[in-house]
Amino acid sequence: MNSANPNLGKEAIDNRFIRAVIALMDTGIATTQGEIAQALGVKSAKFSEIMNGRMHVGVDMLSELSEEYLVAPEWLLTGRGDSMFRPSSILPRLIDSDEVQTAHPYNFEDDDEVMAQRVAKVEQEEKMDLEKNAAPALMTLIAEKDKLLLQQAEEIGRLKAELSETKKHAERLAALVNTDSTAHVG
């Protein structure tokens, strides 16, 4: 297909397929890639090749993903649509049986709320990283300050000793001056 729209290319469709699979696992709808591969009727090795970008996803897998997990087919093929998942009154069948589920397995959330939760999570992780990295930096700064205070205390001690010696020397000189002046008077 020679389309000027890059969203319609095989790589773009592959990327959306991968994003959908990751979203299914992130939301807890599926627990592993193997579970999804089994539900789509594909071998784990082939599924892994698609997930690693070494093989293109076929229309049959896109169709199965859309049917099994209510992924919006328009979003998969074109990237258009309000959501990755589609609302449906027709519920997917259970993987292990032919029975129709009575409870909807998907949580349809407000996109703004989901984005706000993700932003909050990222901000929390950044804050934790900052705190984790700040503690060693703060400890290093405190250690450097302690070292400087110790050096200054040693310098003060040395200066006090020098001052004491100077004072004693001055007192001896004063005593000599007083003795010499007393001896000559008289």
Side-chain angles (χ1 to χ4, degrees):
M1 169 187 277
N2 278 339
S3 174
N5 188 344
N7 286 330
L8 302 178
K10 289 181 180 181
E11 289 79 16
I13 294 170
D14 292 344
N15 287 335
R16 284 190 292 275
F17 177 86
I18 292 167
R19 283 179 47 204
V21 169
I22 291 169
L24 290 169
M25 291 186 299
D26 286 347
T27 57
I29 294 168
T31 55
T32 64
Q33 289 184 17
E35 177 184 334
I36 297 171
Q38 180 183 5
L40 300 180
V42 65
K43 294 186 184 209
S44 295
K46 181 178 179 181
F47 192 82
S48 179
E49 291 291 308
I50 292 168
M51 291 300 292
N52 291 320
R54 291 188 291 266
M55 182 181 281
H56 293 297
V57 64
V59 175
D60 52 341
M61 285 183 65
L62 294 172
S63 174
E64 285 295 325
L65 185 72
S66 178
E67 284 300 312
E68 289 292 325
Y69 293 105
L70 299 177
V71 176
E74 182 179 11
W75 180 84
L76 275 172
L77 293 172
T78 65
R80 292 188 202 115
D82 295 336
S83 175
M84 180 184 297
F85 296 101
R86 60 185 159 91
S88 176
S89 59
I90 303 170
L91 300 174
R93 65 177 170 78
L94 290 168
I95 293 174
D96 297 329
S97 71
D98 290 331
E99 296 177 25
V100 173
Q101 295 179 6
T102 57
H104 203 291
Y106 300 97
N107 295 325
F108 292 104
E109 298 170 329
D110 179 28
D111 287 342
D112 293 333
E113 177 64 26
V114 170
M115 186 55 77
Q117 289 174 356
R118 288 183 180 167
V119 167
K121 183 179 178 184
V122 167
E123 288 173 351
Q124 179 67 24
E125 289 171 355
E126 287 174 349
K127 181 180 176 185
M128 289 173 57
D129 285 345
L130 182 63
E131 289 173 358
K132 183 173 71 174
N133 293 332
L138 184 59
M139 293 306 291
T140 301
L141 186 62
I142 290 171
E144 289 173 2
K145 205 59 145 166
D146 287 347
K147 185 178 176 182
L148 180 62
L149 288 173
L150 184 60
Q151 288 173 346
Q152 288 173 342
E154 288 173 356
E155 181 69 14
I156 289 171
R158 189 186 62 74
L159 289 172
K160 280 184 178 179
E162 190 178 308
L163 184 61
S164 177
E165 285 299 315
T166 304
K167 184 178 177 183
K168 286 179 186 175
H169 184 64
E171 288 173 353
R172 277 183 284 190
L173 285 176
L176 284 176
V177 169
N178 286 341
T179 309
D180 286 343
S181 62
T182 309
H184 293 296
V185 177

